[in-house]
Amino acid sequence: MSVQQSISSNLCQHCARSSACFGSLNNTTSQTAHRSHKIYHRGESLFSMGDEFEALYILRAGSAKSICCSSNGEEQISGFYYPGDMIGADGFDSMTHSCGLKFLETSSVCRVGLKELDMALIESSSTRRKLLKNMSHALVDEQQMLMSIGKLNSEQRLAKFLLDLSERFQIQGLSANTFDLSMTRIDIANFLGMAIETISRLLTKLQHQQIIKVNRRQVILLDIQRLQQCLLVDSGISWLTDLQKLNLKNRQSASLVA
Amino acid sequence: MSVQQSISSNLCQHCARSSACFGSLNNTTSQTAHRSHKIYHRGESLFSMGDEFEALYILRAGSAKSICCSSNGEEQISGFYYPGDMIGADGFDSMTHSCGLKFLETSSVCRVGLKELDMALIESSSTRRKLLKNMSHALVDEQQMLMSIGKLNSEQRLAKFLLDLSERFQIQGLSANTFDLSMTRIDIANFLGMAIETISRLLTKLQHQQIIKVNRRQVILLDIQRLQQCLLVDSGISWLTDLQKLNLKNRQSASLVA
DNA sequence: CGTTCTATTGACATCATTCAACGCCGGTGG
DNA sequence: CCACCGGCGTTGAATGATGTCAATAGAACG
Protein backbone atom coordinates (compact mmCIF):
# COMPACT_ATOMS: atom_id res chain seq x y z
CA MET A 1 0.00 0.00 0.00
CA SER A 2 1.54 3.18 -1.01
CA VAL A 3 1.07 5.76 1.66
CA GLN A 4 3.84 7.10 -0.58
CA GLN A 5 6.61 5.31 1.22
CA SER A 6 9.49 7.64 1.73
CA ILE A 7 9.09 8.76 -1.83
CA SER A 8 11.94 11.11 -1.70
CA SER A 9 14.27 10.13 0.98
CA ASN A 10 17.47 12.06 0.48
CA LEU A 11 16.57 14.89 -1.78
CA CYS A 12 17.23 18.04 0.14
CA GLN A 13 20.20 18.61 2.33
CA HIS A 14 18.44 21.22 4.37
CA CYS A 15 15.49 19.01 4.93
CA ALA A 16 14.33 15.95 6.71
CA ARG A 17 17.01 13.51 7.69
CA SER A 18 19.64 15.93 6.43
CA SER A 19 20.44 13.97 3.36
CA ALA A 20 21.97 14.91 0.03
CA CYS A 21 19.85 17.28 -1.92
CA PHE A 22 18.59 18.00 -5.40
CA GLY A 23 22.01 18.88 -6.20
CA SER A 24 25.15 20.44 -5.46
CA LEU A 25 23.33 23.06 -7.41
CA ASN A 26 23.71 25.40 -4.51
CA ASN A 27 27.43 25.26 -4.84
CA THR A 28 27.62 26.02 -8.48
CA THR A 29 25.33 28.06 -10.61
CA SER A 30 22.38 29.18 -8.60
CA GLN A 31 24.08 30.35 -5.50
CA THR A 32 21.67 33.21 -5.27
CA ALA A 33 18.51 31.16 -5.45
CA HIS A 34 18.56 29.83 -1.96
CA ARG A 35 15.88 27.38 -0.93
CA SER A 36 12.60 28.72 0.29
CA HIS A 37 11.19 27.01 3.31
CA LYS A 38 7.63 27.79 4.15
CA ILE A 39 5.19 26.90 6.89
CA TYR A 40 1.60 25.81 6.28
CA HIS A 41 -1.20 24.98 8.67
CA ARG A 42 -3.86 22.31 8.86
CA GLY A 43 -6.27 22.50 5.95
CA GLU A 44 -4.15 24.83 3.86
CA SER A 45 -3.24 23.90 0.31
CA LEU A 46 0.20 23.81 -1.22
CA PHE A 47 -1.40 23.75 -4.65
CA SER A 48 -4.72 22.76 -6.11
CA MET A 49 -5.73 20.53 -8.97
CA GLY A 50 -5.08 22.33 -12.22
CA ASP A 51 -2.57 24.79 -10.80
CA GLU A 52 0.48 25.51 -12.89
CA PHE A 53 3.41 23.23 -12.17
CA GLU A 54 6.32 25.42 -11.21
CA ALA A 55 8.25 23.58 -8.50
CA LEU A 56 8.84 20.34 -6.72
CA TYR A 57 8.53 20.30 -2.95
CA ILE A 58 9.97 18.22 -0.22
CA LEU A 59 8.07 17.84 3.00
CA ARG A 60 10.32 18.74 5.92
CA ALA A 61 7.89 18.33 8.79
CA GLY A 62 4.23 17.59 9.32
CA SER A 63 2.00 15.61 6.99
CA ALA A 64 -0.21 16.09 3.98
CA LYS A 65 -2.64 14.38 1.65
CA SER A 66 -2.98 14.60 -2.10
CA ILE A 67 -6.45 14.78 -3.55
CA CYS A 68 -7.45 13.74 -7.03
CA CYS A 69 -10.75 14.30 -8.72
CA SER A 70 -12.67 11.82 -10.82
CA SER A 71 -14.80 12.24 -13.90
CA ASN A 72 -17.97 12.47 -11.86
CA GLY A 73 -16.58 15.01 -9.46
CA GLU A 74 -15.82 12.75 -6.53
CA GLU A 75 -12.62 13.25 -4.65
CA GLN A 76 -10.10 10.60 -3.87
CA ILE A 77 -7.09 10.81 -1.64
CA SER A 78 -4.24 9.33 -3.62
CA GLY A 79 -1.61 9.39 -0.94
CA PHE A 80 -0.34 10.64 2.37
CA TYR A 81 2.98 12.40 2.72
CA TYR A 82 5.46 12.47 5.57
CA PRO A 83 8.79 14.18 6.17
CA GLY A 84 11.28 13.39 3.44
CA ASP A 85 8.65 12.78 0.77
CA MET A 86 8.80 14.50 -2.57
CA ILE A 87 5.65 16.30 -3.65
CA GLY A 88 4.42 17.50 -6.99
CA ALA A 89 6.07 15.23 -9.55
CA ASP A 90 2.67 14.59 -11.10
CA GLY A 91 3.06 18.00 -12.74
CA PHE A 92 5.65 17.04 -15.35
CA ASP A 93 2.97 15.39 -17.46
CA SER A 94 0.76 18.32 -18.39
CA MET A 95 2.71 21.02 -16.56
CA THR A 96 -0.31 21.43 -14.32
CA HIS A 97 -0.98 19.52 -11.13
CA SER A 98 -3.33 16.59 -11.49
CA CYS A 99 -3.88 16.50 -7.74
CA GLY A 100 -4.28 19.07 -5.07
CA LEU A 101 -2.23 18.90 -1.90
CA LYS A 102 -3.57 19.73 1.56
CA PHE A 103 -1.77 19.70 4.86
CA LEU A 104 -3.09 17.60 7.69
CA GLU A 105 -1.25 19.55 10.37
CA THR A 106 1.21 22.39 10.68
CA SER A 107 3.94 21.51 8.22
CA SER A 108 7.03 22.81 6.52
CA VAL A 109 8.08 22.30 2.93
CA CYS A 110 11.19 22.98 0.91
CA ARG A 111 10.61 24.36 -2.54
CA VAL A 112 12.76 23.54 -5.58
CA GLY A 113 11.87 25.63 -8.63
CA LEU A 114 11.85 24.01 -12.04
CA LYS A 115 14.73 26.03 -13.46
CA GLU A 116 16.82 25.27 -10.45
CA LEU A 117 15.91 21.62 -10.84
CA ASP A 118 16.76 21.50 -14.52
CA MET A 119 20.18 22.97 -13.89
CA ALA A 120 20.79 20.43 -11.21
CA LEU A 121 19.76 17.68 -13.60
CA ILE A 122 22.31 18.83 -16.14
CA GLU A 123 25.14 19.14 -13.70
CA SER A 124 24.66 16.29 -11.34
CA SER A 125 24.26 12.70 -12.31
CA SER A 126 23.40 11.85 -8.74
CA THR A 127 20.55 14.34 -8.85
CA ARG A 128 19.29 12.73 -12.03
CA ARG A 129 19.42 9.36 -10.40
CA LYS A 130 17.69 10.62 -7.29
CA LEU A 131 14.85 12.26 -9.12
CA LEU A 132 14.25 9.24 -11.33
CA LYS A 133 14.52 6.98 -8.33
CA ASN A 134 11.98 9.00 -6.45
CA MET A 135 9.48 9.13 -9.26
CA SER A 136 10.02 5.47 -9.92
CA HIS A 137 9.43 4.73 -6.27
CA ALA A 138 6.18 6.66 -6.34
CA LEU A 139 5.19 4.54 -9.31
CA VAL A 140 5.99 1.28 -7.56
CA ASP A 141 4.21 2.54 -4.50
CA GLU A 142 1.04 3.22 -6.38
CA GLN A 143 1.22 -0.18 -8.01
CA GLN A 144 1.34 -1.71 -4.57
CA MET A 145 -1.63 0.36 -3.60
CA LEU A 146 -3.52 -0.80 -6.66
CA MET A 147 -2.75 -4.36 -5.68
CA SER A 148 -4.08 -3.74 -2.23
CA ILE A 149 -7.33 -2.19 -3.27
CA GLY A 150 -7.82 -4.72 -6.00
CA LYS A 151 -6.99 -7.90 -4.17
CA LEU A 152 -7.37 -7.45 -0.44
CA ASN A 153 -10.51 -7.34 1.64
CA SER A 154 -11.28 -4.51 4.00
CA GLU A 155 -9.51 -5.97 7.00
CA GLN A 156 -6.38 -6.69 5.00
CA ARG A 157 -6.38 -3.23 3.53
CA LEU A 158 -6.66 -1.63 6.93
CA ALA A 159 -3.97 -3.88 8.35
CA LYS A 160 -1.65 -3.01 5.47
CA PHE A 161 -2.38 0.65 5.99
CA LEU A 162 -1.43 0.49 9.64
CA LEU A 163 1.69 -1.53 8.94
CA ASP A 164 2.79 0.88 6.24
CA LEU A 165 2.29 3.80 8.57
CA SER A 166 4.24 2.01 11.24
CA GLU A 167 7.11 1.40 8.87
CA ARG A 168 7.18 5.00 7.76
CA PHE A 169 7.18 6.30 11.31
CA GLN A 170 10.03 3.98 12.06
CA ILE A 171 11.97 5.32 9.10
CA GLN A 172 11.45 8.77 10.54
CA GLY A 173 13.00 7.55 13.74
CA LEU A 174 9.69 7.46 15.56
CA SER A 175 8.02 4.59 17.32
CA ALA A 176 6.81 1.77 15.11
CA ASN A 177 4.32 0.67 17.72
CA THR A 178 2.75 3.82 18.98
CA PHE A 179 1.81 6.74 16.79
CA ASP A 180 -0.84 9.32 16.13
CA LEU A 181 -2.88 9.43 12.97
CA SER A 182 -2.87 12.89 11.47
CA MET A 183 -5.75 12.03 9.17
CA THR A 184 -9.41 11.45 10.02
CA ARG A 185 -11.26 8.17 9.57
CA ILE A 186 -12.98 9.85 6.66
CA ASP A 187 -9.61 10.35 5.01
CA ILE A 188 -8.58 6.78 5.70
CA ALA A 189 -11.85 5.44 4.35
CA ASN A 190 -11.57 7.55 1.25
CA PHE A 191 -7.97 6.48 0.69
CA LEU A 192 -8.70 2.79 1.16
CA GLY A 193 -11.91 2.85 -0.84
CA MET A 194 -14.14 1.85 2.06
CA ALA A 195 -16.93 3.34 4.18
CA ILE A 196 -16.01 5.13 7.39
CA GLU A 197 -18.26 2.80 9.31
CA THR A 198 -16.29 -0.15 8.05
CA ILE A 199 -13.07 1.46 9.22
CA SER A 200 -14.58 2.05 12.62
CA ARG A 201 -15.88 -1.49 12.94
CA LEU A 202 -12.62 -3.07 11.87
CA LEU A 203 -10.61 -0.93 14.26
CA THR A 204 -12.74 -2.02 17.18
CA LYS A 205 -12.62 -5.61 15.97
CA LEU A 206 -8.81 -5.55 15.89
CA GLN A 207 -8.91 -3.94 19.30
CA HIS A 208 -11.09 -6.72 20.71
CA GLN A 209 -8.61 -9.21 19.31
CA GLN A 210 -5.88 -7.47 21.32
CA ILE A 211 -3.98 -6.79 18.12
CA ILE A 212 -4.16 -3.04 18.36
CA LYS A 213 -5.35 -0.40 20.76
CA VAL A 214 -7.09 2.69 19.50
CA ASN A 215 -7.97 5.86 21.32
CA ARG A 216 -9.11 8.70 19.15
CA ARG A 217 -6.25 9.35 16.77
CA GLN A 218 -3.71 7.44 18.83
CA VAL A 219 -2.91 3.95 17.64
CA ILE A 220 -0.87 1.32 19.45
CA LEU A 221 0.14 -1.80 17.62
CA LEU A 222 0.13 -4.44 20.35
CA ASP A 223 1.00 -7.41 18.17
CA ILE A 224 2.55 -6.55 14.84
CA GLN A 225 3.07 -10.19 13.93
CA ARG A 226 -0.60 -10.98 14.14
CA LEU A 227 -1.34 -7.83 12.20
CA GLN A 228 0.97 -9.08 9.47
CA GLN A 229 -0.77 -12.43 9.54
CA CYS A 230 -4.01 -10.68 8.67
CA LEU A 231 -2.46 -9.98 5.30
CA LEU A 232 -1.56 -13.57 4.59
CA VAL A 233 -4.95 -15.08 5.22
CA ASP A 234 -6.35 -15.91 1.84
CA SER A 235 -9.79 -14.49 2.14
CA GLY A 236 -9.45 -12.34 -0.93
CA ILE A 237 -9.98 -13.04 -4.55
CA SER A 238 -7.45 -15.50 -5.81
CA TRP A 239 -6.82 -15.31 -9.49
CA LEU A 240 -4.33 -17.72 -10.82
CA THR A 241 -5.03 -20.02 -7.95
CA ASP A 242 -8.52 -19.95 -9.37
CA LEU A 243 -7.33 -21.51 -12.57
CA GLN A 244 -5.21 -23.96 -10.72
CA LYS A 245 -8.19 -25.01 -8.62
CA LEU A 246 -10.23 -25.44 -11.78
CA ASN A 247 -7.52 -27.59 -13.30
CA LEU A 248 -7.30 -29.64 -10.16
CA LYS A 249 -11.03 -30.24 -10.16
CA ASN A 250 -11.09 -31.17 -13.81
CA ARG A 251 -8.31 -33.65 -13.26
CA GLN A 252 -10.03 -35.06 -10.21
CA SER A 253 -13.32 -35.61 -11.98
CA ALA A 254 -11.39 -37.05 -14.90
CA SER A 255 -9.64 -39.51 -12.66
CA LEU A 256 -12.92 -40.37 -10.99
CA VAL A 257 -14.42 -41.22 -14.34
CA ALA A 258 -11.39 -43.21 -15.32
CA MET B 1 -8.35 4.35 -15.45
CA SER B 2 -4.85 3.98 -16.43
CA VAL B 3 -4.47 1.33 -19.08
CA GLN B 4 -1.23 3.32 -19.17
CA GLN B 5 -2.49 5.93 -21.54
CA SER B 6 0.07 6.66 -24.20
CA ILE B 7 2.69 6.70 -21.51
CA SER B 8 5.46 7.47 -23.81
CA SER B 9 4.20 9.05 -26.92
CA ASN B 10 7.17 10.49 -28.75
CA LEU B 11 10.14 8.77 -27.27
CA CYS B 12 11.74 6.84 -30.08
CA GLN B 13 12.13 8.16 -33.57
CA HIS B 14 12.34 4.73 -35.06
CA CYS B 15 9.24 3.61 -33.25
CA ALA B 16 5.53 3.99 -33.16
CA ARG B 17 4.19 7.15 -34.65
CA SER B 18 7.69 8.11 -35.80
CA SER B 19 8.15 10.71 -33.16
CA ALA B 20 11.21 12.30 -31.61
CA CYS B 21 13.24 9.85 -29.64
CA PHE B 22 15.17 9.48 -26.43
CA GLY B 23 17.56 11.80 -27.87
CA SER B 24 19.37 13.11 -30.69
CA LEU B 25 21.76 10.80 -28.96
CA ASN B 26 22.14 8.91 -32.17
CA ASN B 27 23.56 11.95 -33.86
CA THR B 28 26.16 12.70 -31.29
CA THR B 29 27.98 10.41 -28.98
CA SER B 30 26.66 6.94 -29.33
CA GLN B 31 26.48 6.65 -33.05
CA THR B 32 27.64 3.10 -32.79
CA ALA B 33 25.04 1.93 -30.33
CA HIS B 34 22.13 1.65 -32.68
CA ARG B 35 18.79 0.72 -31.29
CA SER B 36 17.95 -2.91 -30.92
CA HIS B 37 14.51 -3.88 -32.04
CA LYS B 38 13.33 -7.27 -31.04
CA ILE B 39 10.27 -9.41 -31.65
CA TYR B 40 8.44 -11.33 -28.94
CA HIS B 41 5.49 -13.68 -29.09
CA ARG B 42 2.37 -14.20 -27.03
CA GLY B 43 3.15 -15.28 -23.50
CA GLU B 44 6.85 -14.42 -23.66
CA SER B 45 8.38 -12.15 -21.04
CA LEU B 46 10.40 -9.02 -21.64
CA PHE B 47 11.58 -9.20 -18.05
CA SER B 48 10.38 -10.73 -14.80
CA MET B 49 9.82 -9.35 -11.36
CA GLY B 50 13.17 -8.94 -9.65
CA ASP B 51 15.23 -8.87 -12.84
CA GLU B 52 18.01 -6.35 -13.00
CA PHE B 53 16.98 -3.02 -14.48
CA GLU B 54 19.23 -2.35 -17.44
CA ALA B 55 17.13 -0.64 -20.05
CA LEU B 56 13.92 1.17 -20.85
CA TYR B 57 11.78 -0.14 -23.66
CA ILE B 58 9.28 1.36 -25.99
CA LEU B 59 6.57 -0.82 -27.41
CA ARG B 60 6.52 -0.48 -31.19
CA ALA B 61 3.79 -2.93 -32.05
CA GLY B 62 1.58 -5.44 -30.31
CA SER B 63 0.48 -5.30 -26.69
CA ALA B 64 1.62 -6.38 -23.26
CA LYS B 65 0.66 -6.56 -19.61
CA SER B 66 2.70 -5.83 -16.52
CA ILE B 67 2.31 -8.15 -13.57
CA CYS B 68 3.01 -7.28 -9.96
CA CYS B 69 3.09 -9.61 -7.02
CA SER B 70 1.58 -9.02 -3.62
CA SER B 71 2.74 -9.93 -0.16
CA ASN B 72 0.62 -13.07 -0.13
CA GLY B 73 1.81 -14.21 -3.53
CA GLU B 74 -1.17 -13.20 -5.61
CA GLU B 75 -0.58 -11.63 -8.97
CA GLN B 76 -2.05 -8.39 -10.12
CA ILE B 77 -1.95 -6.89 -13.58
CA SER B 78 -0.94 -3.28 -13.09
CA GLY B 79 -1.35 -2.10 -16.63
CA PHE B 80 -1.69 -2.85 -20.30
CA TYR B 81 0.69 -1.45 -22.87
CA TYR B 82 0.15 -0.43 -26.46
CA PRO B 83 2.38 0.92 -29.23
CA GLY B 84 4.16 4.07 -28.15
CA ASP B 85 4.12 3.21 -24.46
CA MET B 86 7.28 3.31 -22.40
CA ILE B 87 8.03 0.20 -20.39
CA GLY B 88 10.27 -0.44 -17.43
CA ALA B 89 10.52 2.89 -15.61
CA ASP B 90 9.60 1.13 -12.38
CA GLY B 91 13.19 -0.08 -12.28
CA PHE B 92 14.84 3.21 -11.32
CA ASP B 93 13.72 2.76 -7.74
CA SER B 94 15.60 -0.33 -6.69
CA MET B 95 17.41 -0.99 -9.96
CA THR B 96 15.39 -4.16 -10.26
CA HIS B 97 11.99 -4.51 -11.86
CA SER B 98 9.08 -4.49 -9.46
CA CYS B 99 6.81 -5.96 -12.11
CA GLY B 100 7.18 -8.54 -14.80
CA LEU B 101 6.13 -7.82 -18.35
CA LYS B 102 4.43 -10.34 -20.64
CA PHE B 103 3.31 -9.92 -24.19
CA LEU B 104 -0.29 -10.54 -25.12
CA GLU B 105 0.44 -11.05 -28.81
CA THR B 106 3.36 -10.92 -31.20
CA SER B 107 5.02 -7.63 -30.44
CA SER B 108 8.07 -5.53 -31.13
CA VAL B 109 9.99 -3.38 -28.68
CA CYS B 110 12.75 -0.82 -28.94
CA ARG B 111 15.42 -1.04 -26.30
CA VAL B 112 17.21 1.95 -24.79
CA GLY B 113 20.08 0.98 -22.53
CA LEU B 114 20.67 2.89 -19.34
CA LYS B 115 24.04 4.33 -20.34
CA GLU B 116 22.64 5.45 -23.62
CA LEU B 117 19.74 6.99 -21.75
CA ASP B 118 21.93 8.82 -19.29
CA MET B 119 23.98 10.37 -22.04
CA ALA B 120 20.84 11.52 -23.75
CA LEU B 121 19.65 13.04 -20.49
CA ILE B 122 22.83 15.06 -20.19
CA GLU B 123 22.82 16.29 -23.73
CA SER B 124 19.22 16.88 -24.49
CA SER B 125 16.85 18.97 -22.43
CA SER B 126 13.98 17.74 -24.55
CA THR B 127 14.87 14.17 -23.67
CA ARG B 128 14.90 15.11 -20.00
CA ARG B 129 11.49 16.67 -20.36
CA LYS B 130 10.15 13.71 -22.27
CA LEU B 131 11.33 11.14 -19.78
CA LEU B 132 9.99 13.09 -16.81
CA LYS B 133 6.77 13.74 -18.66
CA ASN B 134 6.37 10.07 -19.40
CA MET B 135 7.03 8.93 -15.87
CA SER B 136 4.78 11.65 -14.55
CA HIS B 137 2.07 10.56 -16.92
CA ALA B 138 2.35 7.01 -15.70
CA LEU B 139 1.96 8.34 -12.19
CA VAL B 140 -1.15 10.33 -13.04
CA ASP B 141 -2.48 7.37 -14.89
CA GLU B 142 -2.15 5.12 -11.91
CA GLN B 143 -3.77 7.69 -9.70
CA GLN B 144 -6.73 7.68 -12.03
CA MET B 145 -6.78 3.92 -11.82
CA LEU B 146 -6.75 4.07 -8.05
CA MET B 147 -9.69 6.43 -8.18
CA SER B 148 -11.55 4.04 -10.41
CA ILE B 149 -11.05 0.97 -8.30
CA GLY B 150 -11.71 2.88 -5.12
CA LYS B 151 -14.78 4.82 -6.08
CA LEU B 152 -16.55 3.16 -8.97
CA ASN B 153 -18.77 0.12 -8.95
CA SER B 154 -18.15 -2.82 -11.26
CA GLU B 155 -20.19 -1.50 -14.14
CA GLN B 156 -18.51 1.87 -14.02
CA ARG B 157 -15.08 0.29 -13.87
CA LEU B 158 -15.77 -1.84 -16.90
CA ALA B 159 -17.25 1.11 -18.79
CA LYS B 160 -14.19 3.19 -18.01
CA PHE B 161 -11.95 0.36 -19.10
CA LEU B 162 -13.68 0.11 -22.46
CA LEU B 163 -13.67 3.87 -22.96
CA ASP B 164 -9.99 4.09 -22.13
CA LEU B 165 -9.19 1.33 -24.56
CA SER B 166 -11.25 3.07 -27.21
CA GLU B 167 -9.36 6.30 -26.67
CA ARG B 168 -6.03 4.57 -26.89
CA PHE B 169 -6.94 2.79 -30.09
CA GLN B 170 -8.04 6.08 -31.53
CA ILE B 171 -4.71 7.64 -30.61
CA GLN B 172 -3.05 4.82 -32.50
CA GLY B 173 -5.09 5.76 -35.51
CA LEU B 174 -7.38 2.77 -35.14
CA SER B 175 -11.13 2.67 -34.81
CA ALA B 176 -12.53 4.02 -31.57
CA ASN B 177 -15.72 2.02 -31.98
CA THR B 178 -14.56 -1.38 -33.09
CA PHE B 179 -11.54 -3.15 -31.72
CA ASP B 180 -10.24 -6.47 -30.54
CA LEU B 181 -9.21 -7.18 -26.98
CA SER B 182 -5.79 -8.73 -26.83
CA MET B 183 -6.30 -9.75 -23.20
CA THR B 184 -8.53 -12.45 -21.77
CA ARG B 185 -11.49 -11.83 -19.46
CA ILE B 186 -9.31 -13.24 -16.73
CA ASP B 187 -6.78 -10.48 -17.36
CA ILE B 188 -9.48 -7.83 -17.41
CA ALA B 189 -11.00 -9.14 -14.19
CA ASN B 190 -7.62 -9.24 -12.51
CA PHE B 191 -6.78 -5.73 -13.68
CA LEU B 192 -10.11 -4.27 -12.56
CA GLY B 193 -10.19 -6.16 -9.28
CA MET B 194 -13.32 -8.13 -10.09
CA ALA B 195 -14.35 -11.72 -10.72
CA ILE B 196 -14.41 -13.02 -14.28
CA GLU B 197 -18.06 -13.91 -13.89
CA THR B 198 -18.86 -10.31 -13.07
CA ILE B 199 -17.07 -9.16 -16.20
CA SER B 200 -18.99 -11.64 -18.25
CA ARG B 201 -22.35 -10.66 -16.77
CA LEU B 202 -21.74 -6.96 -17.20
CA LEU B 203 -20.66 -7.35 -20.80
CA THR B 204 -23.85 -9.20 -21.65
CA LYS B 205 -25.87 -6.65 -19.70
CA LEU B 206 -24.35 -3.78 -21.67
CA GLN B 207 -25.00 -5.78 -24.82
CA HIS B 208 -28.66 -6.21 -23.96
CA GLN B 209 -28.87 -2.47 -23.41
CA GLN B 210 -27.62 -2.01 -26.99
CA ILE B 211 -24.66 -0.04 -25.68
CA ILE B 212 -22.01 -2.44 -26.89
CA LYS B 213 -21.74 -5.58 -28.95
CA VAL B 214 -19.39 -8.34 -27.94
CA ASN B 215 -18.29 -11.37 -29.84
CA ARG B 216 -15.44 -13.27 -28.34
CA ARG B 217 -12.58 -10.79 -28.20
CA GLN B 218 -14.17 -8.35 -30.60
CA VAL B 219 -15.87 -5.34 -29.05
CA ILE B 220 -18.06 -2.80 -30.80
CA LEU B 221 -19.07 0.32 -28.94
CA LEU B 222 -22.54 1.06 -30.32
CA ASP B 223 -23.29 4.09 -28.17
CA ILE B 224 -20.28 5.74 -26.62
CA GLN B 225 -22.35 8.51 -25.08
CA ARG B 226 -24.45 6.11 -23.07
CA LEU B 227 -21.30 4.28 -22.07
CA GLN B 228 -19.93 7.55 -20.76
CA GLN B 229 -23.15 8.15 -18.88
CA CYS B 230 -22.59 4.91 -17.01
CA LEU B 231 -19.68 6.67 -15.37
CA LEU B 232 -21.70 9.65 -14.22
CA VAL B 233 -24.47 7.75 -12.50
CA ASP B 234 -23.82 8.16 -8.83
CA SER B 235 -24.17 4.61 -7.67
CA GLY B 236 -20.78 4.54 -6.05
CA ILE B 237 -19.57 5.68 -2.73
CA SER B 238 -19.77 9.42 -2.45
CA TRP B 239 -17.38 10.88 0.01
CA LEU B 240 -17.49 14.57 0.37
CA THR B 241 -21.04 14.52 -0.80
CA ASP B 242 -21.47 12.30 2.19
CA LEU B 243 -20.40 15.06 4.51
CA GLN B 244 -22.46 17.56 2.62
CA LYS B 245 -25.51 15.33 2.97
CA LEU B 246 -24.86 15.01 6.67
CA ASN B 247 -24.60 18.75 6.99
CA LEU B 248 -27.75 19.22 5.03
CA LYS B 249 -29.61 16.79 7.24
CA ASN B 250 -28.33 18.38 10.39
CA ARG B 251 -29.43 21.75 9.18
CA GLN B 252 -32.77 20.42 8.13
CA SER B 253 -33.47 18.84 11.47
CA ALA B 254 -32.23 22.00 13.12
CA SER B 255 -34.62 24.10 11.11
CA LEU B 256 -37.42 21.67 11.84
CA VAL B 257 -36.81 22.06 15.53
CA ALA B 258 -36.64 25.81 15.21
C1' DC C 1 -22.63 26.49 25.33
C1' DG C 2 -23.88 25.47 20.82
C1' DT C 3 -22.50 24.27 16.32
C1' DT C 4 -19.75 21.47 13.53
C1' DC C 5 -16.88 17.77 12.78
C1' DT C 6 -15.73 13.26 14.01
C1' DA C 7 -16.46 8.69 15.59
C1' DT C 8 -19.12 4.59 17.07
C1' DT C 9 -22.72 1.12 16.76
C1' DG C 10 -26.89 -1.45 15.09
C1' DA C 11 -30.27 -2.98 11.60
C1' DC C 12 -30.90 -3.58 6.96
C1' DA C 13 -30.14 -3.84 1.93
C1' DT C 14 -27.43 -4.97 -1.95
C1' DC C 15 -23.85 -5.66 -4.94
C1' DA C 16 -20.32 -8.78 -6.06
C1' DT C 17 -18.01 -13.13 -5.16
C1' DT C 18 -18.37 -18.00 -4.82
C1' DC C 19 -19.75 -22.43 -6.29
C1' DA C 20 -21.38 -25.22 -9.88
C1' DA C 21 -22.60 -26.65 -14.45
C1' DC C 22 -22.36 -26.08 -19.18
C1' DG C 23 -20.96 -24.66 -24.10
C1' DC C 24 -17.59 -23.05 -27.39
C1' DC C 25 -13.29 -23.13 -29.73
C1' DG C 26 -8.72 -24.49 -31.08
C1' DG C 27 -5.19 -27.73 -30.85
C1' DT C 28 -3.45 -32.41 -30.67
C1' DG C 29 -3.28 -37.06 -31.36
C1' DG C 30 -5.29 -41.34 -32.56
C1' DC D 1 -11.62 -37.07 -39.86
C1' DC D 2 -13.14 -37.57 -35.39
C1' DA D 3 -12.48 -37.58 -30.38
C1' DC D 4 -10.62 -35.66 -26.59
C1' DC D 5 -8.88 -32.10 -23.68
C1' DG D 6 -7.53 -27.71 -21.91
C1' DG D 7 -8.37 -22.93 -21.92
C1' DC D 8 -11.85 -19.60 -22.16
C1' DG D 9 -16.38 -17.74 -21.60
C1' DT D 10 -21.28 -17.75 -20.03
C1' DT D 11 -25.08 -18.30 -16.86
C1' DG D 12 -27.78 -19.48 -12.50
C1' DA D 13 -28.38 -19.80 -7.45
C1' DA D 14 -26.78 -18.88 -2.97
C1' DT D 15 -23.86 -16.70 0.33
C1' DG D 16 -21.41 -13.13 2.37
C1' DA D 17 -18.94 -8.92 2.87
C1' DT D 18 -19.58 -4.18 2.81
C1' DG D 19 -22.20 -0.12 1.95
C1' DT D 20 -26.32 2.56 3.44
C1' DC D 21 -29.33 4.55 6.71
C1' DA D 22 -30.19 6.12 11.25
C1' DA D 23 -29.37 7.34 15.96
C1' DT D 24 -26.12 8.80 19.34
C1' DA D 25 -22.28 10.84 21.58
C1' DG D 26 -17.84 12.99 22.42
C1' DA D 27 -14.29 16.64 20.90
C1' DA D 28 -12.92 20.79 18.76
C1' DC D 29 -13.56 25.37 18.03
C1' DG D 30 -15.27 29.71 18.26
Side-chain angles (χ1 to χ4, degrees), chain B residues 51-167:
Chain B
D51 280 2
E52 189 188 348
F53 171 53
E54 49 190 17
L56 285 184
Y57 303 87
I58 291 156
L59 187 57
R60 302 178 68 208
S63 54
K65 60 179 175 183
S66 64
I67 304 166
C68 297
C69 210
S70 81
S71 33
N72 58 10
E74 306 213 2
E75 293 190 355
Q76 160 99 26
I77 295 175
S78 64
F80 295 109
Y81 297 86
Y82 284 97
D85 292 348
M86 184 175 74
I87 293 170
D90 61 304
F92 285 111
D93 181 30
S94 61
M95 296 310 279
T96 60
H97 287 290
S98 63
C99 295
L101 189 111
K102 272 193 178 158
F103 294 97
L104 296 170
E105 56 188 317
T106 298
S107 306
S108 162
V109 299
C110 165
R111 182 195 142 101
V112 183
L114 281 196
K115 282 182 185 171
E116 202 181 352
L117 175 64
D118 201 46
M119 283 189 277
L121 289 179
I122 297 174
E123 293 166 10
S124 159
S125 72
S126 81
T127 301
R128 279 196 299 281
R129 258 185 282 116
K130 278 171 192 164
L131 178 59
L132 291 177
K133 183 183 164 79
N134 273 280
M135 291 184 66
S136 176
H137 189 94
L139 219 50
V140 173
D141 230 32
E142 284 196 351
Q143 282 173 354
Q144 283 288 357
M145 189 61 202
L146 267 179
M147 263 271 334
S148 299
I149 292 197
K151 297 260 165 307
L152 305 182
N153 62 29
S154 297
E155 186 173 345
Q156 293 174 314
R157 293 218 283 278
L158 184 59
K160 196 164 191 331
F161 175 73
L162 292 175
L163 288 170
D164 282 341
L165 276 187
S166 165
E167 191 182 338

Side-chain angles (χ1 to χ4, degrees), chain A residues 2 125 155:
Chain A
S2 51
S125 74
E155 186 173 345

Side-chain angles (χ1 to χ4, degrees), chain A residues 89-108:
Chain A
D90 61 306
F92 285 111
D93 180 30
S94 61
M95 297 309 281
T96 61
H97 287 290
S98 65
C99 295
L101 189 112
K102 273 192 179 162
F103 294 98
L104 295 169
E105 57 189 316
T106 298
S107 306
S108 160

